[in-house]
mmCIF file of all heavy atoms in Angstrom:
data_model
loop_
_atom_site.group_PDB
_atom_site.id
_atom_site.type_symbol
_atom_site.label_atom_id
_atom_site.label_comp_id
_atom_site.label_asym_id
_atom_site.label_seq_id
_atom_site.Cartn_x
_atom_site.Cartn_y
_atom_site.Cartn_z
ATOM 1 N N ILE A 24 185.397 104.732 137.706
ATOM 2 C CA ILE A 24 185.447 104.428 139.130
ATOM 3 C C ILE A 24 186.892 104.155 139.502
ATOM 4 O O ILE A 24 187.553 103.324 138.893
ATOM 5 C CB ILE A 24 184.574 103.195 139.454
ATOM 6 C CG1 ILE A 24 183.131 103.495 139.050
ATOM 7 C CG2 ILE A 24 184.684 102.830 140.919
ATOM 8 C CD1 ILE A 24 182.224 102.307 139.114
ATOM 9 N N LYS A 25 187.359 104.868 140.513
ATOM 10 C CA LYS A 25 188.715 104.679 140.986
ATOM 11 C C LYS A 25 188.656 103.875 142.287
ATOM 12 O O LYS A 25 187.973 104.252 143.228
ATOM 13 C CB LYS A 25 189.389 106.028 141.261
ATOM 14 C CG LYS A 25 190.798 105.894 141.771
ATOM 15 C CD LYS A 25 191.403 107.256 142.046
ATOM 16 C CE LYS A 25 192.776 107.108 142.654
ATOM 17 N NZ LYS A 25 193.337 108.401 143.029
ATOM 18 N N VAL A 26 189.395 102.773 142.334
ATOM 19 C CA VAL A 26 189.443 101.929 143.519
ATOM 20 C C VAL A 26 190.611 102.391 144.373
ATOM 21 O O VAL A 26 191.760 102.349 143.944
ATOM 22 C CB VAL A 26 189.605 100.439 143.139
ATOM 23 C CG1 VAL A 26 189.719 99.585 144.383
ATOM 24 C CG2 VAL A 26 188.447 99.997 142.269
ATOM 25 N N ASP A 27 190.311 102.853 145.591
ATOM 26 C CA ASP A 27 191.359 103.313 146.498
ATOM 27 C C ASP A 27 191.876 102.185 147.383
ATOM 28 O O ASP A 27 193.050 102.150 147.718
ATOM 29 C CB ASP A 27 190.834 104.434 147.406
ATOM 30 C CG ASP A 27 190.569 105.716 146.626
ATOM 31 O OD1 ASP A 27 191.260 105.958 145.620
ATOM 32 O OD2 ASP A 27 189.672 106.464 147.042
ATOM 33 N N ASP A 28 190.992 101.292 147.769
ATOM 34 C CA ASP A 28 191.388 100.265 148.720
ATOM 35 C C ASP A 28 190.484 99.056 148.518
ATOM 36 O O ASP A 28 189.340 99.185 148.097
ATOM 37 C CB ASP A 28 191.244 100.783 150.153
ATOM 38 C CG ASP A 28 191.908 99.893 151.179
ATOM 39 O OD1 ASP A 28 192.696 99.017 150.789
ATOM 40 O OD2 ASP A 28 191.624 100.077 152.382
ATOM 41 N N LYS A 29 191.001 97.905 148.823
ATOM 42 C CA LYS A 29 190.213 96.676 148.748
ATOM 43 C C LYS A 29 190.362 95.937 150.059
ATOM 44 O O LYS A 29 191.442 95.900 150.639
ATOM 45 C CB LYS A 29 190.704 95.784 147.602
ATOM 46 C CG LYS A 29 190.356 96.345 146.236
ATOM 47 C CD LYS A 29 190.957 95.631 145.057
ATOM 48 C CE LYS A 29 190.897 94.155 145.047
ATOM 49 N NZ LYS A 29 191.370 93.537 143.796
ATOM 50 N N ARG A 30 189.259 95.362 150.532
ATOM 51 C CA ARG A 30 189.289 94.559 151.752
ATOM 52 C C ARG A 30 188.815 93.158 151.417
ATOM 53 O O ARG A 30 187.822 92.993 150.716
ATOM 54 C CB ARG A 30 188.371 95.154 152.815
ATOM 55 C CG ARG A 30 188.859 96.477 153.356
ATOM 56 C CD ARG A 30 187.941 96.971 154.426
ATOM 57 N NE ARG A 30 186.923 97.794 153.750
ATOM 58 C CZ ARG A 30 185.849 98.256 154.309
ATOM 59 N NH1 ARG A 30 185.575 97.976 155.552
ATOM 60 N NH2 ARG A 30 185.002 98.998 153.641
ATOM 61 N N ASP A 31 189.512 92.197 151.932
ATOM 62 C CA ASP A 31 189.085 90.811 151.749
ATOM 63 C C ASP A 31 188.131 90.458 152.868
ATOM 64 O O ASP A 31 188.427 90.656 154.045
ATOM 65 C CB ASP A 31 190.293 89.864 151.769
ATOM 66 C CG ASP A 31 191.194 90.063 150.555
ATOM 67 O OD1 ASP A 31 190.660 90.430 149.494
ATOM 68 O OD2 ASP A 31 192.411 89.853 150.677
ATOM 69 N N LYS A 32 186.989 89.954 152.482
ATOM 70 C CA LYS A 32 185.994 89.565 153.471
ATOM 71 C C LYS A 32 185.827 88.057 153.353
ATOM 72 O O LYS A 32 185.561 87.532 152.270
ATOM 73 C CB LYS A 32 184.664 90.265 153.208
ATOM 74 C CG LYS A 32 183.611 89.968 154.233
ATOM 75 C CD LYS A 32 182.348 90.758 153.971
ATOM 76 C CE LYS A 32 181.313 90.426 155.035
ATOM 77 N NZ LYS A 32 180.067 91.156 154.797
ATOM 78 N N ALA A 33 185.972 87.386 154.472
ATOM 79 C CA ALA A 33 185.853 85.933 154.469
ATOM 80 C C ALA A 33 184.403 85.528 154.235
ATOM 81 O O ALA A 33 183.473 86.209 154.656
ATOM 82 C CB ALA A 33 186.350 85.374 155.799
ATOM 83 N N ALA A 34 184.239 84.416 153.547
ATOM 84 C CA ALA A 34 182.891 83.895 153.321
ATOM 85 C C ALA A 34 182.323 83.435 154.657
ATOM 86 O O ALA A 34 183.052 82.928 155.510
ATOM 87 C CB ALA A 34 182.954 82.735 152.346
ATOM 88 N N PRO A 35 181.008 83.610 154.845
ATOM 89 C CA PRO A 35 180.403 83.175 156.106
ATOM 90 C C PRO A 35 180.454 81.647 156.206
ATOM 91 O O PRO A 35 180.453 80.957 155.183
ATOM 92 C CB PRO A 35 178.967 83.677 156.024
ATOM 93 C CG PRO A 35 178.708 83.874 154.577
ATOM 94 C CD PRO A 35 180.028 84.205 153.949
ATOM 95 N N PRO A 36 180.454 81.123 157.416
ATOM 96 C CA PRO A 36 180.475 79.667 157.570
ATOM 97 C C PRO A 36 179.179 79.054 157.023
ATOM 98 O O PRO A 36 178.113 79.665 157.083
ATOM 99 C CB PRO A 36 180.592 79.455 159.074
ATOM 100 C CG PRO A 36 180.146 80.727 159.687
ATOM 101 C CD PRO A 36 180.444 81.817 158.703
ATOM 102 N N PHE A 37 179.302 77.839 156.497
ATOM 103 C CA PHE A 37 178.156 77.175 155.881
ATOM 104 C C PHE A 37 176.996 77.035 156.851
ATOM 105 O O PHE A 37 175.843 77.243 156.490
ATOM 106 C CB PHE A 37 178.565 75.797 155.350
ATOM 107 C CG PHE A 37 177.433 75.042 154.742
ATOM 108 C CD1 PHE A 37 176.892 75.426 153.524
ATOM 109 C CD2 PHE A 37 176.884 73.955 155.388
ATOM 110 C CE1 PHE A 37 175.829 74.736 152.965
ATOM 111 C CE2 PHE A 37 175.824 73.254 154.843
ATOM 112 C CZ PHE A 37 175.295 73.644 153.619
ATOM 113 N N ASP A 38 177.287 76.682 158.091
ATOM 114 C CA ASP A 38 176.212 76.512 159.073
ATOM 115 C C ASP A 38 175.438 77.811 159.295
ATOM 116 O O ASP A 38 174.265 77.784 159.640
ATOM 117 C CB ASP A 38 176.774 76.003 160.403
ATOM 118 C CG ASP A 38 177.247 74.559 160.302
ATOM 119 O OD1 ASP A 38 176.740 73.833 159.414
ATOM 120 O OD2 ASP A 38 178.121 74.167 161.091
ATOM 121 N N GLY A 39 176.093 78.947 159.088
ATOM 122 C CA GLY A 39 175.436 80.232 159.278
ATOM 123 C C GLY A 39 174.474 80.595 158.159
ATOM 124 O O GLY A 39 173.576 81.406 158.346
ATOM 125 N N VAL A 40 174.680 80.034 156.972
ATOM 126 C CA VAL A 40 173.829 80.384 155.832
ATOM 127 C C VAL A 40 173.039 79.183 155.306
ATOM 128 O O VAL A 40 172.343 79.291 154.295
ATOM 129 C CB VAL A 40 174.666 80.994 154.682
ATOM 130 C CG1 VAL A 40 175.242 82.338 155.085
ATOM 131 C CG2 VAL A 40 175.740 80.043 154.231
ATOM 132 N N LYS A 41 173.118 78.072 155.996
ATOM 133 C CA LYS A 41 172.475 76.843 155.536
ATOM 134 C C LYS A 41 170.963 77.020 155.361
ATOM 135 O O LYS A 41 170.407 76.653 154.319
ATOM 136 C CB LYS A 41 172.767 75.718 156.531
ATOM 137 C CG LYS A 41 172.271 74.376 156.101
ATOM 138 C CD LYS A 41 172.723 73.319 157.115
ATOM 139 C CE LYS A 41 172.237 71.950 156.720
ATOM 140 N NZ LYS A 41 172.698 70.928 157.657
ATOM 141 N N GLU A 42 170.283 77.585 156.361
ATOM 142 C CA GLU A 42 168.831 77.768 156.280
ATOM 143 C C GLU A 42 168.454 78.744 155.166
ATOM 144 O O GLU A 42 167.465 78.551 154.463
ATOM 145 C CB GLU A 42 168.267 78.233 157.617
ATOM 146 C CG GLU A 42 168.304 77.173 158.696
ATOM 147 C CD GLU A 42 167.557 75.909 158.310
ATOM 148 O OE1 GLU A 42 166.433 76.030 157.764
ATOM 149 O OE2 GLU A 42 168.091 74.808 158.531
ATOM 150 N N GLN A 43 169.239 79.789 155.000
ATOM 151 C CA GLN A 43 168.983 80.765 153.945
ATOM 152 C C GLN A 43 169.134 80.101 152.569
ATOM 153 O O GLN A 43 168.327 80.343 151.665
ATOM 154 C CB GLN A 43 169.958 81.934 154.082
ATOM 155 C CG GLN A 43 169.730 83.046 153.087
ATOM 156 C CD GLN A 43 170.723 84.190 153.281
ATOM 157 O OE1 GLN A 43 171.555 84.174 154.168
ATOM 158 N NE2 GLN A 43 170.630 85.176 152.416
ATOM 159 N N LEU A 44 170.136 79.256 152.410
ATOM 160 C CA LEU A 44 170.325 78.540 151.155
ATOM 161 C C LEU A 44 169.180 77.570 150.887
ATOM 162 O O LEU A 44 168.723 77.445 149.752
ATOM 163 C CB LEU A 44 171.657 77.786 151.170
ATOM 164 C CG LEU A 44 172.912 78.652 151.098
ATOM 165 C CD1 LEU A 44 174.155 77.821 151.328
ATOM 166 C CD2 LEU A 44 172.988 79.374 149.771
ATOM 167 N N LYS A 45 168.700 76.911 151.929
ATOM 168 C CA LYS A 45 167.561 76.001 151.773
ATOM 169 C C LYS A 45 166.344 76.762 151.264
ATOM 170 O O LYS A 45 165.666 76.320 150.332
ATOM 171 C CB LYS A 45 167.211 75.335 153.109
ATOM 172 C CG LYS A 45 168.039 74.154 153.462
ATOM 173 C CD LYS A 45 167.479 73.555 154.754
ATOM 174 C CE LYS A 45 168.321 72.428 155.269
ATOM 175 N NZ LYS A 45 167.766 71.866 156.514
ATOM 176 N N ARG A 46 166.036 77.893 151.901
ATOM 177 C CA ARG A 46 164.873 78.690 151.482
ATOM 178 C C ARG A 46 165.017 79.144 150.030
ATOM 179 O O ARG A 46 164.069 79.090 149.256
ATOM 180 C CB ARG A 46 164.697 79.904 152.397
ATOM 181 C CG ARG A 46 164.072 79.594 153.732
ATOM 182 C CD ARG A 46 163.646 80.851 154.468
ATOM 183 N NE ARG A 46 164.705 81.832 154.622
ATOM 184 C CZ ARG A 46 165.578 81.852 155.624
ATOM 185 N NH1 ARG A 46 165.508 80.951 156.572
ATOM 186 N NH2 ARG A 46 166.512 82.787 155.687
ATOM 187 N N TYR A 47 166.226 79.572 149.680
ATOM 188 C CA TYR A 47 166.467 80.025 148.309
ATOM 189 C C TYR A 47 166.238 78.885 147.318
ATOM 190 O O TYR A 47 165.593 79.079 146.286
ATOM 191 C CB TYR A 47 167.892 80.569 148.165
ATOM 192 C CG TYR A 47 168.247 80.873 146.738
ATOM 193 C CD1 TYR A 47 167.784 82.027 146.112
ATOM 194 C CD2 TYR A 47 169.021 79.987 145.992
ATOM 195 C CE1 TYR A 47 168.091 82.296 144.793
ATOM 196 C CE2 TYR A 47 169.329 80.240 144.668
ATOM 197 C CZ TYR A 47 168.863 81.397 144.077
ATOM 198 O OH TYR A 47 169.152 81.650 142.773
ATOM 199 N N MET A 48 166.757 77.711 147.629
ATOM 200 C CA MET A 48 166.622 76.579 146.718
ATOM 201 C C MET A 48 165.160 76.149 146.576
ATOM 202 O O MET A 48 164.712 75.824 145.476
ATOM 203 C CB MET A 48 167.479 75.405 147.188
ATOM 204 C CG MET A 48 168.974 75.674 147.104
ATOM 205 S SD MET A 48 169.528 76.160 145.459
ATOM 206 C CE MET A 48 169.200 74.680 144.535
ATOM 207 N N VAL A 49 164.410 76.179 147.661
ATOM 208 C CA VAL A 49 162.988 75.825 147.594
ATOM 209 C C VAL A 49 162.245 76.848 146.743
ATOM 210 O O VAL A 49 161.460 76.489 145.856
ATOM 211 C CB VAL A 49 162.370 75.720 149.010
ATOM 212 C CG1 VAL A 49 160.857 75.649 148.943
ATOM 213 C CG2 VAL A 49 162.935 74.517 149.743
ATOM 214 N N GLN A 50 162.480 78.132 146.974
ATOM 215 C CA GLN A 50 161.811 79.182 146.200
ATOM 216 C C GLN A 50 162.172 79.080 144.720
ATOM 217 O O GLN A 50 161.316 79.230 143.849
ATOM 218 C CB GLN A 50 162.173 80.560 146.736
ATOM 219 C CG GLN A 50 161.549 80.874 148.074
ATOM 220 C CD GLN A 50 162.042 82.205 148.643
ATOM 221 O OE1 GLN A 50 163.004 82.786 148.149
ATOM 222 N NE2 GLN A 50 161.390 82.662 149.695
ATOM 223 N N LYS A 51 163.444 78.826 144.446
ATOM 224 C CA LYS A 51 163.906 78.722 143.064
ATOM 225 C C LYS A 51 163.256 77.534 142.367
ATOM 226 O O LYS A 51 162.796 77.647 141.233
ATOM 227 C CB LYS A 51 165.434 78.593 143.041
ATOM 228 C CG LYS A 51 166.026 78.445 141.670
ATOM 229 C CD LYS A 51 165.959 79.724 140.894
ATOM 230 C CE LYS A 51 166.756 79.562 139.604
ATOM 231 N NZ LYS A 51 166.086 80.170 138.478
ATOM 232 N N SER A 52 163.191 76.391 143.043
ATOM 233 C CA SER A 52 162.583 75.219 142.417
ATOM 234 C C SER A 52 161.084 75.426 142.206
ATOM 235 O O SER A 52 160.534 75.006 141.184
ATOM 236 C CB SER A 52 162.854 73.959 143.236
ATOM 237 O OG SER A 52 162.256 74.043 144.491
ATOM 238 N N GLN A 53 160.409 76.092 143.148
ATOM 239 C CA GLN A 53 158.986 76.390 142.974
ATOM 240 C C GLN A 53 158.767 77.332 141.794
ATOM 241 O O GLN A 53 157.862 77.139 140.986
ATOM 242 C CB GLN A 53 158.403 77.007 144.241
ATOM 243 C CG GLN A 53 158.260 76.032 145.378
ATOM 244 C CD GLN A 53 157.860 76.706 146.676
ATOM 245 O OE1 GLN A 53 157.955 77.924 146.823
ATOM 246 N NE2 GLN A 53 157.424 75.912 147.643
ATOM 247 N N GLN A 54 159.606 78.341 141.694
ATOM 248 C CA GLN A 54 159.492 79.298 140.598
ATOM 249 C C GLN A 54 159.724 78.596 139.253
ATOM 250 O O GLN A 54 158.979 78.821 138.297
ATOM 251 C CB GLN A 54 160.500 80.429 140.788
ATOM 252 C CG GLN A 54 160.440 81.493 139.721
ATOM 253 C CD GLN A 54 161.500 82.559 139.934
ATOM 254 O OE1 GLN A 54 162.511 82.334 140.581
ATOM 255 N NE2 GLN A 54 161.265 83.724 139.373
ATOM 256 N N ASP A 55 160.736 77.743 139.184
ATOM 257 C CA ASP A 55 161.007 77.009 137.949
ATOM 258 C C ASP A 55 159.842 76.103 137.580
ATOM 259 O O ASP A 55 159.470 75.998 136.412
ATOM 260 C CB ASP A 55 162.296 76.184 138.084
ATOM 261 C CG ASP A 55 163.540 77.056 138.165
ATOM 262 O OD1 ASP A 55 163.460 78.262 137.834
ATOM 263 O OD2 ASP A 55 164.591 76.530 138.571
ATOM 264 N N PHE A 56 159.243 75.463 138.586
ATOM 265 C CA PHE A 56 158.113 74.573 138.348
ATOM 266 C C PHE A 56 156.921 75.348 137.804
ATOM 267 O O PHE A 56 156.279 74.936 136.840
ATOM 268 C CB PHE A 56 157.740 73.849 139.649
ATOM 269 C CG PHE A 56 156.597 72.898 139.507
ATOM 270 C CD1 PHE A 56 156.710 71.746 138.750
ATOM 271 C CD2 PHE A 56 155.390 73.153 140.133
ATOM 272 C CE1 PHE A 56 155.652 70.870 138.625
ATOM 273 C CE2 PHE A 56 154.326 72.282 140.016
ATOM 274 C CZ PHE A 56 154.459 71.135 139.250
ATOM 275 N N VAL A 57 156.622 76.502 138.397
ATOM 276 C CA VAL A 57 155.494 77.322 137.942
ATOM 277 C C VAL A 57 155.739 77.817 136.517
ATOM 278 O O VAL A 57 154.839 77.798 135.673
ATOM 279 C CB VAL A 57 155.247 78.503 138.908
ATOM 280 C CG1 VAL A 57 154.278 79.510 138.317
ATOM 281 C CG2 VAL A 57 154.740 77.987 140.240
ATOM 282 N N LEU A 58 156.960 78.244 136.219
ATOM 283 C CA LEU A 58 157.268 78.700 134.859
ATOM 284 C C LEU A 58 157.111 77.563 133.852
ATOM 285 O O LEU A 58 156.598 77.767 132.750
ATOM 286 C CB LEU A 58 158.680 79.272 134.795
ATOM 287 C CG LEU A 58 158.879 80.607 135.513
ATOM 288 C CD1 LEU A 58 160.345 81.009 135.498
ATOM 289 C CD2 LEU A 58 158.027 81.689 134.892
ATOM 290 N N LYS A 59 157.524 76.370 134.242
ATOM 291 C CA LYS A 59 157.382 75.203 133.368
ATOM 292 C C LYS A 59 155.900 74.897 133.120
ATOM 293 O O LYS A 59 155.497 74.604 131.996
ATOM 294 C CB LYS A 59 158.082 73.999 133.996
ATOM 295 C CG LYS A 59 158.112 72.783 133.143
ATOM 296 C CD LYS A 59 158.890 71.667 133.831
ATOM 297 C CE LYS A 59 158.859 70.394 133.031
ATOM 298 N NZ LYS A 59 159.561 69.295 133.705
ATOM 299 N N LEU A 60 155.085 74.984 134.170
ATOM 300 C CA LEU A 60 153.647 74.760 134.020
ATOM 301 C C LEU A 60 153.013 75.811 133.112
ATOM 302 O O LEU A 60 152.166 75.499 132.277
ATOM 303 C CB LEU A 60 152.951 74.775 135.380
ATOM 304 C CG LEU A 60 153.205 73.577 136.291
ATOM 305 C CD1 LEU A 60 152.543 73.815 137.644
ATOM 306 C CD2 LEU A 60 152.686 72.303 135.660
ATOM 307 N N ARG A 61 153.426 77.053 133.269
ATOM 308 C CA ARG A 61 152.870 78.126 132.437
ATOM 309 C C ARG A 61 153.204 77.918 130.967
ATOM 310 O O ARG A 61 152.379 78.172 130.091
ATOM 311 C CB ARG A 61 153.402 79.485 132.888
ATOM 312 C CG ARG A 61 152.757 79.992 134.134
ATOM 313 C CD ARG A 61 153.274 81.360 134.480
ATOM 314 N NE ARG A 61 152.661 81.852 135.692
ATOM 315 C CZ ARG A 61 153.047 82.928 136.338
ATOM 316 N NH1 ARG A 61 154.072 83.631 135.886
ATOM 317 N NH2 ARG A 61 152.437 83.307 137.431
ATOM 318 N N GLU A 62 154.437 77.478 130.694
ATOM 319 C CA GLU A 62 154.834 77.260 129.302
ATOM 320 C C GLU A 62 154.036 76.120 128.681
ATOM 321 O O GLU A 62 153.704 76.156 127.493
ATOM 322 C CB GLU A 62 156.327 76.957 129.226
ATOM 323 C CG GLU A 62 157.204 78.160 129.505
ATOM 324 C CD GLU A 62 158.680 77.813 129.557
ATOM 325 O OE1 GLU A 62 159.034 76.626 129.361
ATOM 326 O OE2 GLU A 62 159.487 78.722 129.789
ATOM 327 N N ALA A 63 153.715 75.102 129.465
ATOM 328 C CA ALA A 63 153.001 73.937 128.951
ATOM 329 C C ALA A 63 151.484 74.127 128.950
ATOM 330 O O ALA A 63 150.773 73.348 128.325
ATOM 331 C CB ALA A 63 153.358 72.709 129.785
ATOM 332 N N ALA A 64 151.006 75.153 129.623
ATOM 333 C CA ALA A 64 149.563 75.347 129.769
ATOM 334 C C ALA A 64 148.941 75.876 128.484
ATOM 335 O O ALA A 64 149.556 76.621 127.724
ATOM 336 C CB ALA A 64 149.275 76.317 130.910
ATOM 337 N N LYS A 65 147.712 75.462 128.272
ATOM 338 C CA LYS A 65 146.933 75.992 127.157
ATOM 339 C C LYS A 65 145.799 76.795 127.782
ATOM 340 O O LYS A 65 144.943 76.250 128.475
ATOM 341 C CB LYS A 65 146.364 74.876 126.300
ATOM 342 C CG LYS A 65 145.514 75.387 125.153
ATOM 343 C CD LYS A 65 144.916 74.263 124.359
ATOM 344 C CE LYS A 65 143.999 74.862 123.298
ATOM 345 N NZ LYS A 65 143.220 73.830 122.629
ATOM 346 N N VAL A 66 145.811 78.081 127.556
ATOM 347 C CA VAL A 66 144.809 78.969 128.149
ATOM 348 C C VAL A 66 143.867 79.413 127.043
ATOM 349 O O VAL A 66 144.288 79.884 125.998
ATOM 350 C CB VAL A 66 145.467 80.203 128.812
ATOM 351 C CG1 VAL A 66 144.410 81.134 129.367
ATOM 352 C CG2 VAL A 66 146.429 79.751 129.886
ATOM 353 N N GLU A 67 142.582 79.239 127.304
ATOM 354 C CA GLU A 67 141.569 79.637 126.342
ATOM 355 C C GLU A 67 140.601 80.577 127.039
ATOM 356 O O GLU A 67 140.036 80.232 128.068
ATOM 357 C CB GLU A 67 140.823 78.396 125.841
ATOM 358 C CG GLU A 67 139.799 78.684 124.783
ATOM 359 C CD GLU A 67 139.143 77.402 124.282
ATOM 360 O OE1 GLU A 67 139.795 76.351 124.275
ATOM 361 O OE2 GLU A 67 137.964 77.489 123.919
ATOM 362 N N ARG A 68 140.427 81.756 126.496
ATOM 363 C CA ARG A 68 139.506 82.725 127.085
ATOM 364 C C ARG A 68 138.166 82.617 126.388
ATOM 365 O O ARG A 68 138.075 82.634 125.167
ATOM 366 C CB ARG A 68 140.045 84.136 126.928
ATOM 367 C CG ARG A 68 141.323 84.355 127.706
ATOM 368 C CD ARG A 68 141.724 85.773 127.603
ATOM 369 N NE ARG A 68 141.144 86.448 128.756
ATOM 370 C CZ ARG A 68 141.410 87.686 129.083
ATOM 371 N NH1 ARG A 68 142.212 88.408 128.346
ATOM 372 N NH2 ARG A 68 140.875 88.236 130.152
ATOM 373 N N VAL A 69 137.144 82.505 127.181
ATOM 374 C CA VAL A 69 135.786 82.415 126.656
ATOM 375 C C VAL A 69 134.998 83.573 127.244
ATOM 376 O O VAL A 69 134.948 83.745 128.456
ATOM 377 C CB VAL A 69 135.135 81.067 127.047
ATOM 378 C CG1 VAL A 69 133.713 80.996 126.543
ATOM 379 C CG2 VAL A 69 135.967 79.914 126.541
ATOM 380 N N GLU A 70 134.409 84.353 126.378
ATOM 381 C CA GLU A 70 133.603 85.487 126.831
ATOM 382 C C GLU A 70 132.230 84.973 127.242
ATOM 383 O O GLU A 70 131.572 84.253 126.488
ATOM 384 C CB GLU A 70 133.467 86.535 125.731
ATOM 385 C CG GLU A 70 134.777 87.191 125.347
ATOM 386 C CD GLU A 70 135.376 88.033 126.457
ATOM 387 O OE1 GLU A 70 134.608 88.635 127.245
ATOM 388 O OE2 GLU A 70 136.614 88.077 126.550
#
């Protein structure tokens, strides 16, 4: 890959991405919690 040009893009202001970050953190913590529960769970299949 040949890079011809680079542009610096400023990071968006925190207030602009605050809600998106909140949603991400909630989803991430829920996912981690579910994975932790699955690892600790004992599943027994009975026919």
